[in-house]
Amino acid sequence: MDQTTHPKSVGAVVPRKAQFTKPLALKCGATLGGYELAYETYGALNADKSNAVLVCHALNASHHVAGYYADDPANIGWWDNIIGPGKPLDTNRFCVIGVNNLGGCFGSTGPSSINPATGHPWGADFPLVTVEDWVTTQACLADQLGIERFAAIMGGSLGAMQALSWTIQYPDRLGHAIVIACAPNLSAQNIAFNEVARQAIITDPDFHGGHYYGQDTRPTRGLRVARMVGHITYLSDDEMASKFGRQLRHGRLNYTFGVEFEIESYLSHQADKFADYFDANTYLRITKALDYFDPAAAHGGNLSLALEPATASFLVVSFTTDWRFSPERSREIIKALLDNRRAVTYAEIDAPHGHDAFLLDDARYHGLVGAYFNRISAEISA
Amino acid sequence: MNTPAIQRADFAAIANWIKPGARVLDLGCGDGTLLRYLAGQRDTIGYGVEIDDARVLACVTNGVNVIQGDMERGLSGFADDSFDYVILSQTLQAVRSSEHVVREMLRVGRQGIVTFPNFGYWRNRLQVLAGNMPISNNLPFAWFDTPNIHLCTITDFESFCHGHGVRILERIVITNGKAVTLAPNLFGALAVFRFEHA
């Protein structure tokens, strides 16, 4: 497929739901009696079901990875720039699956779902979920879809952690892992940012200990602050400087606590948008899943030992200005993969955008991912 | 860039030395041509190190494992003795710290293989004698835009090895795709060495 001519959209897509009745034992010790996962698929599954690609989402995204909804054309999938006919992950050749993770707020069972034991929303009682739990449920979804083995599993950031975990939990069920802007665990600084975000939510009087669904209110102030903190860490200092600098919103200082600088206006806008569509209990749980992820921990901190079961081939990509999940962290993964003699390609993209670069359209980055998928495609048809 | 004939001679010499199934690290691997050749000829498990974006992309297209990075800033991501061979093909003359790179090659690999254009080749000497920096198939750059900052002769490299605890295991000298045995430092355009810790 020629990737240079008019990359197109997968078009109008329809979300689906999968039901699971087998109880799920979570890493935290709790058991869920049953659950639902919202998912979408794009592109056709081939006859031998060898062309499936799972795309795992990061903090605030969902199963809506590409395309748009017929009744809401402005709602475009969060990774639409890389997935579609003729795009780097080409839906003419691959069957792409996006899934909303357990504990999410976009259709999969989560804190806002009804707890069958009480008949009320779970709220604070919804258990804490982990990356490993998500991977387990994604494997259950694959079973239901009849996919024994994914051609590839791809993710950025927290999504990349899921791809990495797949290679450890189900090494035989994927051919390739595409691990973008990842880290093998969070640093103390990362956990600290997450904790600030959580405290903002938990201390919001509208949080009601997590049981706000019945209160006709939501902890939007806390969510707003949480999003602002997060957003700051996704951008590089340079990117913020070039985008906003010290520009003033109204051309002069007003000596008030209202919005004065452009950056304040931008953060406020992002915060409003986020607080409008995201659920606070889900946000708390996803940041915890991030904090907990540490596959090396069970091996005395030795990532090479943790990745020993992995048999997939890897594409690992980092971005030079990503200070949240820096290239150094990706190189830890590379070292562990080399120690295990795994097939691996590592690219360090010189992009100015910080952590968010993985979501943006950069010719080098997308060219590389496209070339890698060409390779996978050739393997499948061989 | 080298003519294909010279490149093949260089590659063939390296392939002849490498044991089947060996683990190979190619520093400055370019588009991965050598690694692909070795995988085809010797069934090697290869990785390349390359700094340039376009070449990294070419490696991906060629189906070669590549780690993007600056080999001069260290091979710290590679464990001691993790490769059977570490290759530096036509790059020794372009690295800033030749000593450091050779030391790192022998830390990460059991053996090192380097190829470099022989500055002592008579055609180069002739050009210097005529008053100009040499330009040739193996040294295609003008003095002002050359990446080659540490040019040496075969004799220079051999005394370097002697002075740095490096034992030369094998040497082949090539001109126009053919092996040269007579006065190699004079008649050899390209030198290929295999070496290990003394």
Side-chain angles (χ1 to χ4, degrees), chain B residues 2 27 58 95 104 173:
Chain B
N2 307 289
L27 304 178
V95 301
E104 278 290 276
V173 179

Side-chain angles (χ1 to χ4, degrees), chain A residues 212-333:
Chain A
Y212 49 85
Y213 301 111
Q215 305 278 338
D216 201 26
T217 182
R218 299 167 64 241
T220 47
R221 283 167 294 180
L223 258 179
R224 288 184 83 261
V225 174
R227 182 56 172 171
M228 286 194 217
V229 172
H231 215 87
I232 294 165
T233 69
Y234 306 145
L235 299 176
S236 69
D237 190 21
D238 283 351
E239 176 74 354
M240 260 198 206
S242 72
K243 230 172 164 171
F244 308 104
R246 292 184 53 84
Q247 279 175 59
L248 296 170
R249 187 84 184 121
H250 305 291
R252 61 186 176 87
L253 296 175
N254 290 321
Y255 299 95
T256 69
F257 293 111
V259 166
E260 298 204 282
F261 292 93
E262 281 290 358
I263 181 63
E264 294 173 327
S265 162
Y266 173 78
L267 283 180
S268 175
H269 172 70
Q270 293 296 333
D272 285 341
K273 243 177 39 178
F274 187 69
D276 197 45
Y277 75 79
F278 213 83
D279 179 63
N281 278 321
T282 289
Y283 196 82
L284 292 176
R285 277 157 185 77
I286 293 183
T287 60
K288 272 293 184 187
L290 265 164
D291 292 0
Y292 292 148
F293 182 70
D294 187 6
H299 302 271
N302 187 328
L303 188 63
S304 303
L305 282 180
L307 280 167
E308 216 173 60
T311 54
S313 297
F314 286 77
L315 172 65
V316 179
V317 180
S318 73
F319 300 92
T320 49
T321 54
D322 183 352
W323 57 277
R324 184 137 185 189
F325 288 1
S326 70
E328 285 72 26
R329 303 307 318 273
S330 282
R331 279 194 228 111
E332 291 175 35
I333 298 170

Side-chain angles (χ1 to χ4, degrees), chain B residues 119 123-135 139 141-143:
Chain B
F119 203 77
R123 284 179 184 275
N124 297 336
R125 297 192 196 196
L126 210 62
Q127 289 189 56
V128 173
L129 217 57
N132 299 106
M133 283 299 283
I135 295 179
L139 294 169
F141 305 101
W143 67 271

Side-chain angles (χ1 to χ4, degrees), chain B residues 27-81:
Chain B
L27 304 178
C29 66
D31 64 5
T33 307
L34 174 59
L35 283 169
R36 209 154 100 131
Y37 177 79
L38 293 176
Q41 297 287 312
R42 282 287 182 268
D43 203 21
T44 50
I45 302 159
Y47 298 84
V49 175
E50 178 55 59
I51 193 166
D52 179 73
D53 288 335
R55 290 178 188 154
V56 168
L57 177 62
C59 285
V60 172
T61 303
N62 283 329
V64 167
N65 295 318
V66 61
I67 312 295
Q68 186 164 29
D70 182 358
M71 62 155 156
E72 289 206 66
R73 281 209 301 184
L75 301 175
S76 57
F78 298 94
D80 293 0
D81 280 331

